[in-house]
Amino acid sequence: MIEAFEEVLADVDERGRTMLGDEWMGCVEQALRSLEAAYPTLTEEGREPIDYSALPVQGAYLYAYALPRAAFTYEFLKRHREAIGRPLFDGPNLVVVSFGGGPASELVGLAQYLGNEEFGETVDTVAYRVFDKDGEWAEIAEAVAENINTRIRISMTYRELDLADSERAEKVDLSRVDLVILSYIMSELCALKERDAIQANMQRMFSSLPSGSKMLFVESKHPTFIKYFQGCKLVAGLRQRNDDGGAVNLVLPDLTRTYRAFEERLGRSPRMDGNIVSKWILRA
């Protein structure tokens, strides 16, 4: 799984060194500290959204958070599969939308799950669409998708979308979507000034989901985040099939070359555990 991010992180590292020279890693370190300080404040009313557009922030996020997000996606898909007792999808083609997908971490975890023969999935192709407010992630997300080593044929499109923009959100049609992924996005939205408009827009979008479509929700286990999600999915026919809040403490894989260099400079490894909850939801 880490291989999908290694070459992309190495490319970001090279671009950063070209842009900032010897100051590059210091800027990444500062960006990581800023992210670590920002995440505990996500419930503060009226706060400004986190800005991921700067290259040092993207480098910090790719190193510290992209791999865990992929691993959590895989882990919870596996758990939901085990709880339900049969494959999660009807193959061979899968259309997926990820809201707030950033660098396409969830696609890496999804591909890992689909490619594991023990789960009995028959999906051969994935059409993956990311809707994210930060358009600067597009190039990185596309590169991550290209670096996934899988038998699954993947096509990816990245669309910039501010979920508070009702005019643009109204044009989002999910009527042919098989799976919606919501990974660590409710925490980013729940305290924004525009949260009511965002909630109404998400309800409208989710109402276009077809019968039989699924939703994967992964989030930090904070009641504010869960409550906001419950409001966003207040749509007829969306029924929870499984809820998993069991402990998550995954093993960090052997770090590749660029990851090792970042670990040495930043003094921390990607964190593979957390107080996390996941819900598997079906549209009746």
Side-chain angles (χ1 to χ4, degrees):
M1 195 179 294
I2 194 172
E3 292 80 7
F5 300 107
E6 163 62 27
E7 186 174 333
V8 183
L9 182 61
D11 179 67
V12 169
D13 185 44
E14 182 177 350
R15 283 193 284 147
R17 293 181 185 280
T18 300
M19 180 188 304
L20 298 172
D22 293 340
E23 297 180 5
W24 161 245
M25 282 305 297
C27 291
V28 173
E29 187 173 7
Q30 182 178 0
L32 182 56
R33 287 199 301 268
S34 296
L35 288 175
E36 291 173 334
Y39 289 139
T41 71
L42 290 175
T43 57
E44 291 184 1
E45 292 293 323
R47 66 170 183 80
E48 292 298 316
I50 298 173
D51 185 359
Y52 294 96
S53 61
L55 193 62
V57 178
Q58 293 177 346
Y61 187 93
L62 266 174
Y63 169 72
Y65 298 105
L67 174 62
R69 298 292 188 265
F72 298 156
T73 301
Y74 171 81
E75 176 68 15
F76 282 113
L77 284 169
K78 180 180 72 171
R79 293 186 187 188
H80 294 312
R81 165 67 174 86
E82 292 170 350
I84 292 172
R86 59 181 179 81
L88 299 176
F89 307 107
D90 301 319
N93 305 311
L94 193 64
V95 179
V96 184
V97 162
S98 179
F99 286 100
S105 298
E106 292 71 35
L107 175 58
V108 177
L110 174 63
Q112 181 88 359
Y113 168 79
L114 294 174
N116 192 325
E117 294 183 358
E118 71 175 280
F119 301 129
E121 301 289 353
T122 57
V123 174
D124 294 323
T125 68
V126 173
Y128 195 84
R129 191 188 323 162
V130 173
F131 286 109
D132 196 288
K133 185 177 180 180
D134 294 300
E136 291 81 2
W137 277 120
E139 184 179 348
I140 290 175
E142 290 164 1
V144 168
E146 290 175 0
N147 279 280
I148 298 174
N149 182 17
T150 178
R151 64 168 180 82
I152 310 296
R153 296 190 299 277
I154 296 172
S155 61
M156 199 201 79
T157 57
Y158 189 105
R159 298 185 182 178
E160 188 174 349
L161 175 67
D162 183 348
L163 288 167
D165 187 336
S166 299
E167 183 177 350
R168 293 191 65 186
E170 191 171 357
K171 297 176 182 178
V172 175
D173 179 14
L174 305 180
S175 62
R176 297 185 179 181
V177 171
D178 301 301
L179 173 66
V180 171
I181 299 179
L182 302 161
S183 178
Y184 284 89
I185 182 174
M186 294 299 156
S187 52
E188 299 261 3
L189 302 175
C190 67
L192 299 182
K193 295 186 291 292
E194 305 87 356
R195 63 183 180 275
D196 292 340
I198 293 171
Q199 189 171 85
N201 290 336
M202 298 201 82
Q203 290 172 351
R204 184 164 51 248
M205 288 186 288
F206 293 162
S207 68
S208 69
L209 283 167
S211 175
S213 59
K214 287 93 175 176
M215 183 178 294
L216 174 68
F217 171 76
V218 180
E219 185 58 83
S220 297
K221 198 187 299 181
H222 191 293
T224 300
F225 307 155
I226 310 304
K227 182 179 179 180
Y228 188 71
F229 170 63
Q230 299 294 356
C232 288
K233 77 170 188 70
L234 198 59
V235 173
L238 284 178
R239 299 175 181 174
Q240 184 171 295
R241 291 293 309 278
N242 191 50
D243 179 86
D244 193 308
V248 178
N249 191 358
L250 306 179
V251 176
L252 182 69
D254 293 337
L255 296 183
T256 47
R257 179 178 58 84
T258 310
Y259 271 84
R260 288 196 302 272
F262 271 58
E263 181 186 47
E264 181 177 348
R265 176 58 193 267
L266 299 176
R268 60 153 288 186
S269 303
R271 183 178 174 183
M272 304 293 285
D273 64 342
N275 193 20
I276 309 169
V277 63
S278 180
K279 300 176 184 293
W280 184 252
I281 296 164
L282 176 69
R283 182 78 191 270

